[in-house]
Amino acid sequence: MPALPNLPFLSIPPKPRGWILGNKAEDPALGPVNLFKPYDGVPGQIVYNMKTPGRVSYANSTSKSWAYDEVLEPISEAHDESLKAYADQVLEKPAWYTHFHIAVRSDQDKDYHSRAEKIVQSAPKWSLSDLSLLVHLFIARAAVCDEEDSLLAVASFVHHVAYGFQEKMPSYFNKFVAQLERVLTGTFLACWDQKYERSLARVPYVEHQTEDYLASSLNLAKFMGALVENGVLNQANIKPCVRLLIHQATHTEYLKAIRYILLFAQQEFWTTGSDDDVAGFLRALDEVASPAEESKVSVQAQELHDDEGDDTSMVTSLSSESGSMEPVTVTEIYKDIVDLVDCYSQAASS
């Protein structure tokens, strides 16, 4: 495994993207025109990854351990025109869209409940594409939330919709949760798994919107955790994603993504686990974090060597402006993760 650098991918914090919770003066989606851009403001890479999600191998989807079984498969390359075509897509608003639009911009639980009821009631009239669009809109919305409360609101609304289906239309509940799991985990893998051409570690840092791509990818980690905490997903659903982050941790962002998943999932992540499960997770994590701290000097030397013109590694070297970001060491993130595991695993077992 490549050594884990002691610095993040990027040096420039992402710019605010709007979509503030409770903001009434947002897009004109509730206007008289019956068309809308469902992915407006969403990084093109995220949209493309939603449309062409990664796949979890059978071994990784069924394994109960934290060992990663890497399966090398040919992956098609994403072309820039495909990214733009997906991101700029214009669709006709479905009848239920008004309820979605209002709920995800609200900070009131009553709105989540009432609007979820309206969406569920409309389901018998849906076409085959409605369920897929709803899932994509939830993921897209979560990807561009600038505030934690906004993201948690989206997760809460997913919970209300899912259990509205479970109560009124059980067959739709199963389809909704299965598709949400497949598209969300697949999008996440396409963002983080380095075998994918458009994964974070392989996209050039100078490319337009890379900062937003990283921020949105970390948001997906938070969103997965929040859905576990809300009972929509469970550890087994997202375990392949966490396992991959540990196995391919070549930058500190991989550890940050693990920390966000555990932080937002809280004790629900460990509810179905065991002492062996917790111990196995910590062993796998330690195999990554311990060598990373020991390799600081060699990594810094390699970066100097790369600056002299030798850039043969798959993971692009950091830009010269990297010192402008407040440094976060591997040790600090590792300690945070261990503390979260200790806190929430004990709470789950009590």
Side-chain angles (χ1 to χ4, degrees):
M1 179 189 297
L4 183 66
N6 188 35
L7 288 169
F9 277 124
L10 301 169
S11 61
I12 306 171
K15 60 183 180 296
R17 293 169 288 179
W19 298 65
I20 305 301
L21 195 65
N23 184 4
K24 305 302 182 182
E26 280 203 72
D27 62 29
L30 300 183
V33 178
N34 200 37
L35 299 174
F36 78 122
K37 296 177 69 173
Y39 308 116
D40 190 32
V42 182
Q45 292 93 335
I46 294 291
V47 181
Y48 184 88
N49 291 345
M50 276 198 294
K51 295 290 187 177
T52 57
R55 297 191 304 272
V56 180
S57 68
Y58 177 79
N60 282 321
S61 65
T62 57
S63 174
K64 294 183 179 180
S65 77
W66 289 101
Y68 182 77
D69 182 15
E70 186 165 17
V71 179
L72 297 178
E73 300 174 343
I75 304 298
S76 61
E77 182 177 350
H79 299 289
D80 289 340
E81 56 268 27
S82 300
L83 296 176
K84 184 171 177 58
Y86 283 136
D88 293 341
Q89 191 174 19
V90 178
L91 299 177
E92 183 177 350
K93 294 177 198 170
W96 49 264
Y97 178 73
T98 296
H99 306 298
F100 173 89
H101 182 94
I102 293 174
V104 295
R105 288 159 175 79
S106 174
D107 55 4
Q108 300 296 316
D109 190 69
K110 64 180 181 180
D111 285 335
Y112 310 149
H113 179 74
S114 63
R115 299 295 173 173
E117 281 190 337
K118 296 292 186 182
I119 289 176
V120 171
Q121 289 169 6
S122 71
K125 299 179 181 179
W126 285 6
S127 66
L128 293 176
S129 63
D130 280 277
L131 187 62
S132 176
L133 178 59
L134 179 61
V135 167
H136 280 74
L137 286 175
F138 274 127
I139 297 171
R141 176 68 186 192
V144 295
C145 288
D146 286 323
E147 297 180 340
E148 179 179 310
D149 287 347
S150 300
L151 189 142
L152 292 175
V154 176
S156 180
F157 187 43
V158 173
H159 167 87
H160 280 82
V161 171
Y163 286 94
F165 281 136
Q166 185 180 45
E167 183 178 329
K168 302 290 179 59
M169 303 181 67
S171 63
Y172 264 83
F173 169 75
N174 294 330
K175 293 175 183 176
F176 174 69
V177 173
Q179 188 160 165
L180 178 64
E181 175 196 349
R182 179 183 65 81
V183 179
L184 178 56
T185 58
T187 303
F188 188 88
L189 290 175
C191 293
W192 293 94
D193 189 342
Q194 294 177 21
K195 73 182 180 185
Y196 290 97
E197 188 71 24
R198 304 298 299 188
S199 63
L200 283 161
R202 298 181 68 176
V203 172
Y205 302 134
V206 297
E207 191 168 294
H208 179 59
Q209 281 198 322
T210 303
E211 297 96 332
D212 285 350
Y213 184 23
L214 173 59
S216 292
S217 299
L218 289 171
N219 268 8
L220 295 184
K222 300 174 186 178
F223 188 48
M224 282 199 301
L227 291 179
V228 171
E229 197 276 331
N230 274 276
V232 179
L233 301 179
N234 57 40
Q235 187 206 82
N237 299 140
I238 68 171
K239 194 169 188 175
C241 297
V242 181
R243 191 186 289 123
L244 176 120
L245 290 171
I246 296 173
H247 178 76
Q248 293 193 7
T250 53
H251 289 76
T252 52
E253 274 79 8
Y254 283 74
L255 295 182
K256 287 182 182 179
I258 296 171
R259 179 175 62 184
Y260 282 137
I261 290 172
L262 298 180
L263 177 64
F264 281 73
Q266 300 184 28
Q267 68 190 60
E268 297 301 323
F269 187 83
W270 304 104
T271 298
T272 57
S274 63
D275 290 342
D276 290 341
D277 188 46
V278 175
F281 172 86
L282 292 175
R283 279 196 303 272
L285 185 69
D286 190 58
E287 290 176 3
V288 173
S290 296
E293 282 300 291
E294 295 170 3
S295 65
K296 280 182 186 177
V297 175
S298 63
V299 170
Q300 291 167 354
Q302 180 63 46
E303 286 175 352
L304 289 174
H305 185 57
D306 289 342
D307 287 343
E308 293 172 358
D310 182 8
D311 186 12
T312 59
S313 62
M314 181 175 67
V315 181
T316 310
S317 300
L318 298 171
S319 65
S320 60
E321 297 89 0
S322 59
S324 64
M325 174 175 275
E326 182 180 355
V328 179
T329 68
V330 172
T331 300
E332 289 175 302
I333 305 175
Y334 174 75
K335 183 179 183 301
D336 285 348
I337 294 173
V338 172
D339 288 345
L340 288 170
V341 173
D342 182 60
C343 174
Y344 290 132
S345 62
Q346 288 190 34
S349 62
S350 62

